[in-house]
Amino acid sequence: MKKIAVIFLATTLAAITATIATANLKESPQSHDFVSVVPAPASVQMLDGSFSINAKTVFSLENDYQKSIASQLLEAAGYPSKPVVKKSAKASVHFVTDHALAHEAYTIDVSPKSVLIQASDDCGFFYALQTLKQLLDEDGTLPALHLADEPRFGFRGVLLDPSRYFIPKDEVLKIIDAAAAMKLNKVHLHLTDDNGWRIEIKRYPKLTEVGAWRVDRPDTPFPARRNPQPGEPATIGGFYTQDDIREIVAFAAERHIEVIPEIDMPAHANAALAAYPEYACPVVGKYIGVLPGIGGDNADIIYCAGNDGVFEFLQNILDEVLELFPSQYIHLGGDEAWKTHWKICPRCQARMKAENLADEEELQGWFMARMCDYVRGKGREVIGWDELTNSRLPEGVIIAGWQGMGQAALKAAAQGHRFIMTPARLMYFIRYQGPQWFEPATYFAGGSLKDVYEYEPVRPQWPAEYENLLMGVQACMWTEFCNSTEDVEYQLFPRLVALSEVAWCGRGNKNWEAFLKRLDAFVPQLEERNIIYARSMYNIQQTVTPEDGALSVSLSCIRPDVEIRYTTDGSTPAAESALYEVPLLFRGPVTLKAATFAGGRRTGAVLELPLRWNKATAKRIVNGRGDERLLLNGVRGSVKQTDLEWCSWDKDDVTFTVDLGESTEFSRVSMGFVTNYGMAVTKPASVRIEVSDDNGNFTLAAERSYTAEEIFAEGSFTENAVFETGAGCARYIRISLAGAGPCPADHTRPGKATKYYVDEVTVE
Ligand code: ACM
Ligand code: ZN
């Protein structure tokens, strides 16, 4: 019986292959024809014709899993019906297991007469379905093609952070479903942090009764939120029950996604320690609460490494976590553990002595090794953040490289450890994803869709073995600036689509312009899922540079397939407005408005760029660092100090000189400052303005110092500081600024070095 089945199958396959072979191959020996599928398949050859799925389409299926995939295919084609599990030579759509294919790999052959889908396992068939859904047109028709696909990396992940903003379970499911459509296969749940404990642990109910709730600080950005006071009501938060977790894990498993739980240790533990303060070092004299923000000097409250009870506590927690998550990998954190208390804790110091540890870094290494051993003893593998490379690496640990460009992970690679790249500069989706004037306030520039797309984790100078140790890439959706599910989606999409290509596509199979076409075709799928996604890729970044008395305005958009159109008469740009082709030169005040267009329709937000003119505009800076030219470009910065219109320093003393070109009459010099309390962005401590006609002998024209209250004012705002210089003539204006030094003890970031930002020097 078995033998007959094999012969029958071989005959069927031969027939299908013959059909495909007789179809005309288009002129593309490279196997890289374009298909609107994300992530881009490894190899595609388009053929002539198409195949239409309809209610009468007969399937040949080997098992129930293939049946469920075939049902979903029929449903996507508009014919919800249930095929039966049966091998049939007469069928037109064949699902065939091919053990020669790698795990996750699949092939699809479509001819006008038949479809053949092959994979070695369920996952391959699932990925084939994701591709087929994107290939199907509205009539249920598939283009004839030969497609062979497999991922570049086995680890294709996204971190979700429900600790900072509690992401409701249904939203987690929604994101998992979308991630699976892009063939991502790991969702890392950052379940614990200073800002909330998000998983029910039966043995320690206070973890969620206390640790999942925090004081509300509405309308205050995360880094500016003050720590809770004893007795303050904790009103916002939430947690996943164990049933929720089981549901998330099962939902993800159906989509071939492994959910990796992170129980962060020894730091990021304020939520746990608010519930069980006995596990903090006994020297902690502060009130321990669930933190609503960055934590200030409470961020250094961490688990005591000298208390055996801590290990028992964490192991008991992990016992429940391991029961709930069948994942191969368990993440134990290990990041950003400040050792303030360990240094003075008698228990921690006694531990160091007993274990012969040279310093507190080694103590952390010992702590992590003990916990890693526990998890490994249960048959799982451990992932930790790259701070683990600061001391002896626990056996077998996998390092997630996040700092900078993830280079600390290479220290682990040098010792033969596997690693995952999630460099904060590109893969932290908390960052701005487009020109900042149009974006909701968040942290740091440099994470545009294009930046994400172009990330190549393997560096040319790497020793060959590093590439073998690199398991893959991960995006991290930290939620410090999210207050709703819409905020999370906006930051995640469409960058997650770009990440999927970084993770899936081979180096030779990535192309930014082709990706944009594929993304455009995928966007309706995001819309069908009611996913909020950013259109930042259509927005314009301006660069305005003083040039010999004029201002040169460059406009750019990361999408090369859009036109930029602009007006200077105050009207909103339209499809007929002037086309921007080369930088525009202006010699007087003007309000430039610009937007991107494609196919005659506006695609992005309208950039409104007032160029203001004063006696210093478009003049030269001398004696400075060079980039102070920005201060004479006629453009005011926004309240986002990183919007590229501010000049910043963290030095104590700064001096630069404006050269007005000739002796000029004026009586007032002003300049803009920005304050972003939580980010330690302040005005300078003092400003001194001197004038000269020869750039040699200067006389003092105005001077001001600011009080600590003025410098460390709370909030985010800009202000214009005006200095009356007295009427007179001069050619050179020398501006000296002094920095404010570290933030004071009562700041939300005590001791953090301040930075000061200045915009537009105005001379009147
Ligand atoms: C991290 O961003 N602290 C891993
Ligand atoms: Zn201690």
Side-chain angles (χ1 to χ4, degrees):
M1 185 68 201
K2 213 169 177 189
K3 208 166 189 183
I4 295 167
V6 171
I7 293 163
F8 164 77
L9 177 65
T11 321
T12 314
L13 269 178
I16 299 161
T17 318
T19 318
I20 286 157
T22 50
N24 286 336
L25 211 70
K26 280 195 183 154
E27 303 262 283
S28 180
Q30 298 303 316
S31 302
H32 279 307
D33 283 357
F34 181 83
V35 277
S36 288
V37 173
V38 287
S43 136
V44 185
Q45 287 166 290
M46 301 307 292
L47 307 170
D48 282 340
S50 60
F51 178 92
S52 288
I53 294 176
N54 58 46
K56 294 195 183 126
T57 303
V58 179
F59 285 77
S60 173
L61 302 169
E62 300 167 326
N63 56 43
D64 281 342
Y65 189 78
Q66 292 176 359
K67 176 180 157 180
S68 84
I69 296 290
S71 305
Q72 292 175 66
L73 180 60
L74 275 164
E75 192 175 333
Y79 301 98
S81 62
K82 292 265 175 276
V84 289
V85 176
K86 185 176 161 198
K87 290 188 203 167
S88 160
K90 292 196 195 111
S92 51
V93 180
H94 299 258
F95 282 68
V96 176
T97 301
D98 177 358
H99 292 293
L101 289 170
H103 168 57
E104 301 191 310
Y106 65 95
T107 61
I108 299 172
D109 288 284
V110 180
S111 78
K113 293 214 174 103
S114 64
V115 178
L116 170 64
I117 300 155
Q118 291 176 283
S120 64
D121 56 15
D122 291 354
C123 186
F125 285 108
F126 179 79
Y127 288 152
L129 173 68
Q130 305 318 311
T131 295
L132 288 162
K133 279 185 175 172
Q134 294 185 54
L135 289 171
L136 273 178
D137 74 9
E138 282 139 24
D139 308 325
T141 299
L142 292 166
L145 49 67
H146 169 69
L147 188 154
D149 201 9
E150 63 182 319
R152 176 180 183 191
F153 293 118
F155 194 110
R156 305 180 297 280
V158 57
L159 172 149
L160 299 179
D161 169 16
S163 180
R164 275 52 178 266
Y165 160 68
F166 177 62
I167 307 172
K169 180 197 72 185
D170 285 348
E171 182 65 17
V172 173
L173 300 182
K174 185 177 176 186
I175 294 168
I176 287 175
D177 196 46
M182 301 169 211
K183 304 186 179 90
L184 298 179
N185 67 349
K186 309 283 179 218
V187 167
H188 166 177
L189 277 188
H190 182 72
L191 289 165
T192 71
D193 211 302
D194 294 331
N195 314 98
W197 183 279
R198 304 301 184 202
I199 174 172
E200 178 189 22
I201 299 294
K202 302 268 191 210
R203 186 164 178 155
Y204 300 108
K206 283 193 287 180
L207 282 172
T208 44
E209 285 165 13
V210 174
W213 305 94
R214 68 182 188 226
V215 297
D216 201 359
R217 299 276 185 259
D219 307 322
T220 307
F222 185 88
R225 292 181 193 155
R226 294 209 166 269
N227 290 345
Q229 296 300 313
E232 246 194 298
T235 54
I236 62 162
F239 63 92
Y240 307 120
T241 64
Q242 295 207 343
D243 280 344
D244 289 339
I245 295 286
R246 280 187 272 269
E247 186 182 341
I248 291 170
V249 167
F251 183 91
E254 277 171 23
R255 288 156 182 77
H256 297 275
I257 287 183
E258 175 181 351
V259 184
I260 301 171
E262 179 184 353
I263 305 296
D264 207 345
M265 60 189 74
H268 292 275
N270 271 267
L273 295 172
Y276 295 95
E278 60 270 36
Y279 299 126
C281 291
V283 291
V284 173
K286 299 175 263 201
Y287 167 67
I288 307 176
V290 183
L291 303 177
I294 208 154
D297 60 3
N298 278 39
D300 65 3
I301 301 176
I302 69 177
Y303 294 113
C304 179
N307 179 352
D308 282 330
V310 164
F311 296 92
E312 198 186 322
F313 174 68
L314 291 171
Q315 287 168 6
N316 288 336
I317 289 169
L318 282 168
D319 284 348
E320 292 190 33
V321 169
L322 295 176
E323 189 66 37
L324 290 165
F325 292 89
S327 55
Q328 181 181 353
Y329 306 109
I330 302 292
H331 201 304
L332 295 183
D335 56 323
E336 299 178 309
W338 318 132
K339 313 292 186 323
T340 348
H341 295 109
W342 283 11
K343 283 194 170 119
I344 53 168
C345 170
R347 293 179 118 177
C348 287
Q349 292 300 315
R351 177 81 75 194
M352 282 166 56
K353 213 163 165 202
E355 298 294 335
N356 214 4
L357 304 168
D359 57 22
E360 289 73 21
E361 275 313 325
E362 282 199 8
L363 181 58
Q364 177 169 350
W366 176 87
F367 187 116
M368 297 309 296
R370 182 163 168 175
M371 293 310 302
C372 287
D373 286 350
Y374 185 75
V375 170
R376 280 164 55 85
K378 306 273 174 182
R380 311 295 183 92
E381 297 198 72
V382 174
I383 305 177
W385 296 112
D386 64 32
E387 284 89 338
L388 268 62
T389 62
N390 293 342
S391 54
R392 198 158 67 83
L393 282 166
E395 205 180 326
V397 76
I398 296 159
I399 293 299
W402 71 278
Q403 297 182 77
M405 285 303 286
Q407 58 272 32
L410 302 183
K411 284 207 275 177
Q415 297 169 55
H417 285 255
R418 287 166 296 160
F419 64 109
I420 297 151
M421 279 302 202
T422 178
R425 282 200 205 141
L426 298 172
M427 293 286 126
Y428 275 24
F429 288 0
I430 190 172
R431 297 178 86 101
Y432 283 107
Q433 59 187 309
Q436 293 181 27
W437 286 2
F438 305 104
E439 295 296 323
T442 181
Y443 276 140
F444 312 123
S448 77
L449 182 70
K450 188 163 189 262
D451 294 329
V452 172
Y453 186 75
E454 291 183 341
Y455 174 50
E456 168 49 52
V458 177
R459 310 308 309 160
Q461 66 273 22
W462 281 11
E465 62 273 19
Y466 285 14
E467 197 164 343
N468 297 330
L469 294 167
L470 174 63
M471 294 166 64
V473 291
Q474 173 173 299
C476 291
M477 184 59 250
W478 301 111
T479 55
E480 282 91 335
F481 287 84
C482 296
N483 294 300
S484 66
T485 56
E486 289 80 3
D487 291 351
V488 177
E489 291 178 14
Y490 180 88
Q491 292 296 115
L492 261 180
F493 299 100
R495 288 188 286 191
L496 201 60
V497 188
L499 182 267
S500 79
E501 294 224 345
V502 176
W504 185 275
C505 302
R507 263 182 282 194
N509 201 18
K510 274 175 71 192
N511 175 299
W512 169 238
E513 291 184 41
F515 167 69
L516 289 173
K517 278 201 228 163
R518 291 193 289 277
L519 174 62
D520 291 349
F522 190 67
V523 158
Q525 288 215 17
L526 296 179
E527 286 168 351
E528 267 169 38
R529 293 166 189 273
N530 288 321
I531 285 175
I532 307 288
Y533 59 92
R535 293 181 56 83
S536 318
M537 61 180 148
Y538 289 105
N539 290 340
I540 295 171
Q541 178 65 54
Q542 79 281 355
T543 310
V544 183
T545 317
E547 244 175 45
D548 297 331
L551 293 177
S552 168
V553 179
S554 293
L555 303 176
S556 65
C557 174
I558 58 171
R559 285 198 70 125
D561 56 349
V562 294
E563 293 172 343
I564 296 177
R565 300 208 170 249
Y566 68 94
T567 65
T568 52
D569 61 2
S571 63
T572 303
E576 316 73 55
S577 300
L579 178 69
Y580 171 86
E581 286 172 304
V582 291
L584 306 169
L585 268 193
F586 295 98
R587 296 187 185 278
V590 65
T591 292
L592 179 74
K593 291 189 181 176
T596 56
F597 290 82
R601 296 177 58 157
R602 181 153 72 80
T603 47
V606 175
L607 169 71
E608 189 170 335
L609 187 64
L611 300 184
R612 297 157 219 246
W613 222 269
N614 68 80
K615 289 178 179 174
T617 307
K619 296 293 192 310
R620 288 189 326 133
I621 296 277
V622 289
N623 308 339
R625 193 173 55 181
D627 62 343
E628 297 91 346
R629 286 199 309 174
L630 201 55
L631 302 176
L632 308 181
N633 78 347
V635 183
R636 301 310 302 248
S638 72
V639 75
K640 293 164 185 145
Q641 74 279 0
T642 51
D643 72 2
L644 307 181
E645 292 298 349
W646 294 91
C647 233
S648 71
W649 297 269
D650 49 13
K651 295 202 316 190
D652 277 352
D653 293 302
V654 159
T655 298
F656 58 90
T657 304
V658 178
D659 177 2
L660 298 174
E662 60 190 353
S663 186
T664 304
E665 189 177 356
F666 61 91
S667 62
R668 173 186 289 168
V669 175
S670 53
M671 65 196 76
F673 301 140
V674 60
T675 290
N676 183 332
Y677 179 81
M679 295 301 287
V681 170
T682 66
K683 50 175 154 267
S686 66
V687 180
R688 182 179 165 87
I689 296 176
E690 296 158 294
V691 296
S692 162
D693 265 328
D694 61 3
N695 199 18
N697 295 312
F698 279 90
T699 53
L700 183 65
E703 194 171 29
R704 187 178 306 162
S705 298
Y706 295 98
T707 64
E709 288 74 45
E710 288 170 320
I711 293 168
F712 295 103
E714 293 193 36
S716 297
F717 55 89
T718 63
E719 62 194 297
N720 199 40
V722 178
F723 301 88
E724 302 295 346
T725 56
C729 287
R731 174 171 169 180
Y732 296 96
I733 304 173
R734 184 161 75 187
I735 298 174
S736 304
L737 307 165
C743 294
D746 63 350
H747 196 276
T748 58
R749 306 182 84 167
K752 177 157 177 71
T754 56
K755 242 179 151 177
Y756 52 105
Y757 288 70
V758 176
D759 86 343
E760 219 50 22
V761 171
T762 302
V763 177
E764 297 162 298

